[in-house]
Every structure is written in C-alpha cells, then in structure tokens.
Amino acid sequence: MIDSKTIGARLTYLRGEKSREEVAKAVGASERAIQSYEIGDRIPRDEMKVKLARYFGHTIEEIFFAENVHFE
C-alpha cells in the first residue's frame, strides 16, 4: 500500500474545486475526517474508501493502492 501522504495528495487533487464540506456530506463523513485524510494524518477505513472511490469515479485500487497512478 502507498503512504498516507500520497493518498492525501490524491484525495486533494480529486476534490478539485469542491469544498471539503461538499465531499463530506456526499460520503457521510465530517469535514475534519476529510481534512485528516487529505493531510495524511489518517487513512480512511474500508467502508469510507468505497464511498470516496464511488464519489470520485475511480477505483479503490487507483486511489489507495496503486503506486503507478498519477492524477496530476
């Protein structure tokens, strides 16, 4: 698995111009949780990984595990 900072950077990139509040409401998380994921303090639990992947239209593998995927 890739490190939490890389996952955070991917989530931040995928969020784009959307607010953390918008993403949090869509996936059933708090804004603080989304922030923690994005800065690499926490990695989402499996249930949240599924919700985030669906929301952003990518696979769980692409966002959380693949080392050779670059969203930028």
Side-chain angles (χ1 to χ4, degrees):
M1 185 156 102
I2 58 176
D3 65 75
S4 63
K5 298 294 184 193
T6 301
I7 291 170
R10 289 178 180 181
L11 292 172
T12 301
Y13 178 80
L14 291 170
R15 181 168 57 85
E17 297 296 318
K18 296 178 179 131
S19 68
R20 284 185 180 135
E21 178 183 16
E22 182 180 345
V23 174
K25 284 182 180 179
V27 299
S30 68
E31 287 180 61
R32 176 69 183 127
I34 300 299
Q35 179 183 19
S36 293
Y37 304 150
E38 289 182 352
I39 62 176
D41 282 348
R42 295 172 46 200
I43 294 176
R45 292 182 181 190
D46 290 347
E47 177 182 315
M48 185 55 61
K49 286 177 185 168
V50 171
K51 291 178 181 180
L52 288 165
R54 285 183 182 154
Y55 179 77
F56 290 127
H58 287 276
T59 66
I60 296 167
E61 174 72 21
E62 289 172 326
I63 300 172
F64 298 100
F65 298 101
E67 293 184 23
N68 59 347
V69 174
H70 301 283
F71 293 103
E72 299 175 276

